[in-house]
Amino acid sequence: MRPFTYLRADSPAAAAQAAQLEGAKFIAGGTNLLDLMKLDIETPLQLIDVNHLGLDQIEATPEGGLRIGALVRNTDLAADPRVRKDYALLSRALLAGASGQLRNMATTAGNLLQRTRCPYFYDTNQACNKRNPGSGCAAIAGVSRQLGIIGVSTACIATHPSDMAIALRALDAQVETVKPDGSTRRIAMADFHQLPGNTPNVETSLTPGEFITSVTLPAPVGGTHVYHKVRDRSSYAFALVSVGLILQKDGSGRVAVGGIAPKPWRVEAAEALLSQGAKAVSQRLLDGATPTHDNQFKLTLVERTLGSVLAQARDEA
């Protein structure tokens, strides 16, 4: 591990200001960053500890929703009675991720910012535009079974690994931030993660130094919430395909899919086809997909997983 300096921030604005230093990184739970530092993929010159900023609360908003602090641990968020009752999709998605030990440390903001689990990103002997812009993408001609089929580009076919982000996308969450100049803004989940295009190293819409302070959920939408994750083993594995569904009594609903794209994949136009069944929804959802020979099976897997989730939601309803 390379040497670095350490700073404990005393406010969100101070953290953002300190992060303007080239090579600075925020650290909270460290469940992803420390692994990447050990592999010499992340080489920060300074770590900014944000664990003591008081951003670990879940509070009701005036609009009837919830404000989730950036430092709320995944375990606490999944177990919160309000989340379990009104945002069950979020609770279920969180419990599908990682292990209990990791959920005890992982934070809300860190979950959103975790890096891809593409094996070529983790192997520093392989070309990776996300790790080393302009070097190429070894995954495209390599073993791509776990990688993306839609929203990808000729520069990168990696997927975003977060289960939590799938639920937040379906729930129309917003990310609240503070910038180094003290100004704040809200970013819709739909706009937070970026598609790779020619710059796969740019993964979010955050500007340099911008610091996540919380995630807000709108008022509950009701309905039946189901999250199903298809993976190679039953625990501690990332999704081949995951489906988050909110189904209303009138048959309308929301669908977000993971394991297939560089960001949580939701196509609102596909949701209008829910009454026609999983095949119609999947065809619209995956319109424009460019799978490789290794991961073409995901086209069928999305449809079958969605069909199973729809059947489960209707039974529960």
Side-chain angles (χ1 to χ4, degrees):
M1 189 179 292
R2 298 175 184 268
F4 57 87
T5 58
Y6 170 85
L7 172 69
R8 179 178 289 185
D10 57 12
S11 72
Q17 290 171 2
Q20 293 181 95
L21 175 69
E22 185 177 357
K25 290 283 185 179
F26 301 120
I27 185 166
T31 56
N32 188 205
L33 177 60
L34 292 179
D35 285 342
L36 295 175
M37 290 173 64
K38 292 173 184 177
L39 294 170
D40 211 28
I41 295 171
E42 291 277 12
T43 56
L45 300 177
Q46 182 175 66
L47 290 184
I48 304 167
D49 187 344
V50 297
N51 279 297
H52 307 278
L53 300 182
L55 302 175
D56 57 354
Q57 301 298 311
I58 304 172
E59 304 169 327
T61 66
E63 297 77 22
L66 291 179
R67 175 169 286 104
I68 304 162
L71 300 175
V72 173
R73 306 296 175 178
N74 287 178
T75 295
D76 296 332
L77 182 56
D80 185 275
R82 295 163 294 184
V83 174
R84 294 178 63 187
K85 176 178 180 291
D86 295 326
Y87 307 96
L89 181 62
L90 177 56
S91 182
R92 293 181 179 190
L94 285 164
L95 293 173
S99 65
Q101 294 93 329
L102 285 173
R103 291 195 296 270
N104 287 343
M105 291 299 297
T107 62
T108 299
N111 196 304
L112 291 177
L113 295 173
Q114 62 182 300
R115 309 295 302 275
T116 182
R117 264 53 181 194
C118 173
Y120 296 92
F121 172 74
Y122 274 79
D123 185 348
T124 55
N125 294 310
Q126 301 288 339
C128 174
N129 288 316
K130 189 178 286 291
R131 175 171 28 82
N132 184 16
S135 64
C137 177
I140 292 176
V143 179
S144 54
R145 178 175 177 272
Q146 291 184 306
L147 302 179
I149 62 173
I150 196 164
V152 297
S153 72
T154 56
C156 182
I157 60 171
T159 58
H160 190 266
S162 172
D163 292 289
M164 183 188 79
I166 304 303
L168 292 178
R169 178 67 181 92
L171 290 165
D172 286 332
Q174 293 189 322
V175 180
E176 297 185 330
T177 70
V178 61
K179 295 183 179 182
D181 63 4
S183 62
T184 61
R185 68 166 173 155
R186 285 187 173 191
I187 308 169
M189 271 299 297
D191 303 321
F192 184 77
H193 294 103
Q194 301 296 296
L195 296 179
N198 294 320
T199 56
N201 56 304
V202 180
E203 298 176 350
T204 73
S205 57
L206 295 174
T207 57
E210 192 168 6
F211 175 64
I212 297 173
T213 55
S214 61
V215 172
T216 58
L217 299 174
V221 297
T224 302
H225 295 215
V226 179
Y227 186 80
H228 187 66
K229 181 177 182 178
V230 180
R231 44 189 166 177
D232 286 328
R233 56 181 185 270
S234 61
S235 67
Y236 203 65
F238 296 94
L240 288 171
V241 166
S242 60
V243 174
L245 172 70
I246 302 173
L247 187 67
Q248 303 295 344
K249 290 182 179 180
D250 63 3
S252 64
R254 303 178 183 184
V255 177
V257 182
I260 63 170
K263 62 187 293 185
W265 198 252
R266 181 183 174 193
V267 178
E268 282 82 347
E271 296 168 354
L273 305 176
L274 276 168
S275 62
Q276 300 179 32
K279 184 174 183 177
V281 176
S282 299
Q283 287 179 342
R284 180 65 184 87
L285 190 75
L286 300 175
D287 186 28
T290 55
T292 67
H293 178 269
D294 284 351
N295 62 24
Q296 190 169 4
F297 72 93
K298 288 191 177 187
L299 297 173
T300 302
L301 188 57
V302 168
E303 179 184 336
R304 292 181 177 176
T305 305
L306 178 57
S308 175
V309 167
L310 275 168
Q312 180 181 342
R314 288 165 180 157
D315 287 344
E316 289 185 11

